[in-house]
């Protein structure tokens, strides 16, 4: 009887040791190749976008995509429309945590931050687009502020627009923190661009069908 009890005690100790080893090795994030950290939602790279925000690498299959079109609108404004795929905009107040296929977009004019978008539509003031050719870029971010990326490139798209009329007075840079007039429409506008002087080009990753052909 004593021999049997001794064997059972040894076996119980082995089970506890194995369980403890497995527990010590588990983690929600760990180091990947070249020091890049990984998480349940993609892999955070060492590289950043121009604003210094780290890239969150995800597989190309099922990755977020974005398209952009810009048309002249009334009152000397420009109508900006985004088309997204494999992506949903998070409402204001969402927890700062990366969730697959969720987040917001930043809108840039000539690499200058204009506003944060939580929907597919925005009215761009004419004062931000003086006479000449400009580049309007939409880039997708996770809710923790990291940039969705594929193959080391940010998920973004750029439309080139040309303002033929002189702009009015413009003073100072735009308020990058202001929400502007972005709307939270869930139905993207996929109409083709009809205004003259507007070209679409791809900047980074993301070019859903129905937005226009990238040049």
């Amino acid at each position: 009887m004593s021999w049997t009890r001794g064997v059972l005690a040894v076996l119980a100790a082995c089970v506890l040791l194995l369980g403890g080893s497995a527990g010590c090795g588990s983690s929600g994030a760990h180091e990947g190749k070249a020091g890049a950290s990984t998480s349940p939602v993609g892999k955070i790279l060492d590289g950043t976008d121009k604003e210094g925000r780290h890239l969150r690498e995800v597989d190309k299959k099922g990755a977020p995509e974005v398209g952009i079109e810009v048309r002249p609108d009334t009152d000397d404004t420009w109508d900006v429309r985004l088309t997204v795929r494999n992506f949903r905009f998070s409402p204001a107040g969402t927890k700062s945590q990366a969730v697959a296929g969720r987040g917001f977009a930043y809108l840039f004019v000539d690499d200058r931050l204009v506003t944060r978008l939580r929907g597919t539509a925005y009215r761009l003031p004419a004062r931000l687009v003086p006479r000449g050719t400009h580049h309007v870029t939409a880039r997708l971010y996770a809710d923790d502020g990291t940039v969705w990326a594929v193959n080391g490139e940010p998920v973004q798209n750029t439309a080139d627009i040309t303002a033929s009329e002189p702009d009015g007075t413009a003073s100072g840079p735009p308020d990058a923190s202001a929400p502007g007039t972005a709307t939270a429409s869930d139905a993207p506008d996929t109409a083709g661009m009809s205004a003259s002087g507007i070209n679409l080009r791809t900047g980074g990753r993301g070019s859903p069908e129905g937005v226009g052909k990238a040049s």
Side-chain angles (χ1 to χ4, degrees):
M1 293 295 293
S2 60
W3 179 84
T4 304
R5 286 197 297 270
V7 171
L8 291 176
V10 171
L11 290 174
C14 292
V15 171
L16 288 174
L17 287 173
L18 289 172
S21 299
C24 293
S26 62
S27 174
H30 56 277
E31 292 296 315
K33 295 181 179 180
S37 63
T38 62
S39 74
V41 186
K43 178 172 62 177
I44 300 178
L45 305 180
D46 291 332
T48 66
D49 65 359
K50 294 181 180 180
E51 284 61 49
R53 296 178 181 270
H54 282 280
L55 306 181
R56 183 176 289 275
E57 179 82 11
V58 293
D59 292 336
K60 182 177 180 180
K61 183 178 180 180
E65 298 180 55
V66 61
I68 182 172
E69 65 170 330
V70 185
R71 303 184 189 181
D73 205 346
T74 57
D75 300 325
D76 295 327
T77 60
W78 295 81
D79 182 36
V80 179
R81 297 281 175 167
L82 306 185
T83 303
V84 295
R85 180 183 295 163
N86 302 324
F87 183 82
R88 289 182 63 84
F89 288 95
S90 299
T94 298
K95 184 178 180 181
S96 179
Q97 179 179 341
V99 176
R102 298 295 296 266
F104 58 88
Y106 271 141
L107 189 70
F108 302 86
V109 175
D110 299 331
D111 292 327
R112 183 174 65 172
L113 178 59
V114 172
T115 191
R116 176 186 292 187
L117 296 177
R118 293 194 179 276
T120 59
Y122 181 75
R123 182 168 291 179
L124 182 65
R127 64 183 178 83
L128 302 181
V129 189
R131 185 176 183 178
T133 299
H134 304 275
H135 314 303
V136 184
T137 300
R139 185 180 303 150
L140 299 185
Y141 293 77
D143 287 312
D144 65 348
T146 54
V147 189
W148 292 116
V150 175
N151 295 329
E153 295 291 335
V155 175
Q156 64 181 37
N157 218 316
T158 298
D160 292 345
I161 63 175
T162 300
S164 58
E165 295 297 328
D167 180 51
T169 58
S171 57
D175 182 4
S177 62
T181 57
T183 62
S185 171
D186 290 330
D189 183 353
T190 58
M193 295 189 297
S194 60
S196 60
I198 303 177
N199 296 308
L200 180 70
R201 66 183 179 86
T202 300
R205 295 288 312 174
S207 182
E209 296 174 359
V211 184
K213 183 178 180 181
S215 59

